[in-house]
Amino acid sequence: MSENTPTAAHEFTHSDLKPSILDNLALSRAELLVLTDEASAMTTAGQRIREIGDFDMSLIGRVEVDGMMVHRSWQGTKSNALHRLVVPEGIGLGGKSIMLQQPVWVRDYLSDPGITHDFDALVEQESLRGMLAVPMAYEGHVLGAMYVGTREYSSFGDRVIAEIQSIAETAAVTLLSAQRAATQTELALEAERKRLAESLHDSVSPVLFRIGAELQSLRALADAQAIHDRLQEITEQVHAVNASIRRSLTDLTARPPERNLPVGIEEDCQAFTLRTGIPARFVPLTESPDLDVSRVEALQRLVREALVNVEKHADASTVVVSLSARSGKVTVVISDDGRGVDGTDDPMRGSQLGLGLAAGRLERLGGGMSVVSDDESGTTVRGWVDALEGPST
């Protein structure tokens, strides 16, 4: 670790920590988030490491394609210069940290000789000086890094580093658990695809073979009536194959009515992630009841409009959409960690017009919508309708 010592340096030691009787509860909450949402867990971890020494900002990067780390969560930044930054191994402070698999800190990022300076211009936009990077690793496998930074020359004490390392270890387990869950889901989907392929092969292939044999046998027939009768049989067999394939396709696409809303929200989240590169996670908190078409469409319209607003205005790193049914109401909540919106903004005007129209549709069904927003925690849009079925529109 570098030992540059500018005159105005401030050292963060254990005395700078903010003790709280709620620390254990906060840690438990972060660990429980493993069961619901990886992105939320990273956001919570970023908040906790920033609070450890009252640092100006925090970043969390995850190792992704080709071993590159991408900054996916941030707290306290003044610009988007470091947002979604791609960091190769060994480059800059975080890249050096994941290469060495150990904490690395500098008193003054811009002048330290122990790191590369590929990102100096971006760091300078944030006016950062002292920075610490701690790798998130599990059993020798590096999954990313956590950073904290100050806008003054700073050192970092051993106990502060140890505190952040502890949170980094928990975060590594979170990421690994999410990756394993995704792998298991993909394996299950692959097994289902294989089962359906085998089913189609077993039911359709013999019929197609018979059709081919029948067509070959027609060449030996001279009687026009016999040819006509045989063609009629083949036609019936073709219709049977067509019906079998249609049934299989229906089985693939059909879902019970109570699954229409959660499946639609999941598809919208996936499309948003593919379109923007911003992770959007759907978390069903309860089973969804069977809703009529108008209520499903109203809630899904709200989700889509909220995601559009995140894409256009929020500069968020993550989005979480949840669905729950409690006390006779079905509620969707769309939360992002981006810039808050002006609380005085009329949702029926300008950039919020889509949300206003979605709110009007919910109100006509006896439901409603609320928007809570601030610069620190982003924006949360909540919409709800009664679970009772009503007339379709």
Side-chain angles (χ1 to χ4, degrees):
M1 292 182 289
S2 175
E3 293 295 334
N4 288 337
T5 314
T7 56
H10 172 71
E11 182 172 358
F12 285 91
T13 65
H14 191 58
S15 61
D16 291 298
L17 301 180
K18 289 186 171 181
S20 170
I21 60 174
L22 296 179
D23 276 353
N24 290 335
L25 180 60
L27 181 58
S28 297
R29 177 178 179 274
E31 291 169 342
L32 286 172
L33 283 169
V34 174
L35 303 176
T36 56
D37 183 71
E38 170 194 345
S40 293
M42 293 301 99
T43 299
T44 300
Q47 292 170 342
R48 294 195 71 234
I49 62 173
R50 185 184 175 196
E51 292 169 357
I52 281 176
D54 202 14
F55 299 113
D56 292 318
M57 73 96 209
S58 66
L59 287 168
I60 297 182
R62 292 180 290 183
V63 175
E64 298 183 6
V65 180
D66 298 329
M68 301 284 193
M69 181 170 63
V70 183
H71 294 168
R72 291 298 187 188
S73 182
W74 44 83
Q75 304 286 331
T77 54
K78 299 194 303 183
S79 69
N80 61 3
L82 300 174
H83 298 181
R84 292 181 282 278
L85 178 66
V86 178
V87 181
E89 182 177 308
I91 303 301
L93 188 72
K96 183 175 181 179
S97 174
I98 62 175
M99 180 183 69
L100 298 177
Q101 296 191 27
Q102 66 183 36
V104 179
W105 61 265
V106 294
R107 297 174 188 269
D108 179 16
Y109 188 102
L110 298 178
S111 65
D112 194 279
I115 60 172
T116 72
H117 290 276
D118 301 66
F119 306 127
D120 279 8
L122 303 178
V123 172
E124 193 166 14
Q125 286 187 50
E126 283 292 327
S127 304
L128 292 171
R129 293 297 184 180
M131 289 185 69
L132 162 69
V134 175
M136 297 184 293
Y138 183 80
E139 295 183 349
H141 180 53
V142 179
L143 298 124
M146 292 183 164
Y147 307 73
V148 289
T150 68
R151 295 187 172 94
E152 61 181 3
Y153 302 116
S154 304
S155 302
F156 298 86
D158 291 341
R159 289 197 174 185
V160 169
I161 294 173
E163 289 274 341
I164 295 177
Q165 281 182 298
S166 177
I167 297 174
E169 290 171 0
T170 300
V173 174
T174 299
L175 291 173
L176 189 62
S177 298
Q179 290 174 5
R180 288 177 175 172
T183 299
Q184 291 299 318
T185 300
E186 183 58 34
L187 289 174
L189 291 173
E190 182 60 33
E192 180 64 9
R193 285 193 290 266
K194 183 178 180 181
R195 185 192 67 78
L196 290 170
E198 290 174 348
S199 176
L200 282 172
H201 177 271
D202 293 343
S203 62
V204 175
S205 293
V207 181
L208 292 177
F209 179 80
R210 289 198 301 272
I211 291 173
E214 294 281 0
L215 290 173
Q216 289 291 336
S217 68
L218 287 177
R219 296 180 179 181
L221 295 177
D223 183 5
Q225 184 60 44
I227 293 174
H228 177 272
D229 293 343
R230 191 65 60 82
L231 284 174
Q232 183 63 34
E233 293 175 5
I234 293 173
T235 299
E236 292 173 357
Q237 292 175 13
V238 170
H239 288 163
V241 171
N242 186 49
S244 178
I245 293 175
R246 285 180 179 275
R247 283 194 299 272
S248 296
L249 292 175
T250 299
D251 290 341
L252 282 171
T253 57
R255 54 185 182 249
E258 65 271 16
R259 294 298 297 156
N260 285 338
L261 181 58
V263 170
I265 293 175
E266 175 65 33
E267 291 172 347
D268 287 340
C269 287
Q270 291 178 3
F272 174 86
T273 299
L274 289 173
R275 186 172 68 249
T276 66
I278 302 170
R281 182 68 60 82
F282 173 51
V283 183
L285 300 176
T286 65
E287 291 293 328
S288 176
D290 186 1
L291 297 175
D292 65 280
V293 174
S294 60
R295 283 169 168 74
V296 170
E297 290 181 348
L299 290 171
Q300 192 162 1
R301 179 71 62 85
L302 175 65
V303 171
R304 290 173 180 170
E305 292 296 341
L307 289 175
V308 168
N309 272 9
V310 173
E311 179 180 357
K312 290 182 176 180
H313 309 295
D315 189 30
S317 63
T318 57
V319 183
V320 179
V321 182
S322 65
L323 172 67
S324 63
R326 295 188 179 93
S327 303
K329 294 186 181 297
V330 180
T331 303
V332 294
V333 179
I334 307 94
S335 299
D336 69 73
D337 61 355
R339 293 194 299 263
V341 297
D342 184 356
T344 63
D345 189 19
D346 184 353
M348 294 301 292
R349 294 183 176 181
S351 64
Q352 305 298 312
L353 178 59
L355 280 182
L357 296 174
R361 189 166 189 173
L362 291 170
E363 291 168 0
R364 289 193 295 273
L365 293 168
M369 184 194 80
S370 67
V371 180
V372 177
S373 182
D374 63 62
D375 290 336
E376 287 297 320
S377 58
T379 301
T380 297
V381 177
R382 178 178 282 100
W384 61 91
V385 295
D386 289 335
L388 299 176
E389 293 189 6
S392 299
T393 57

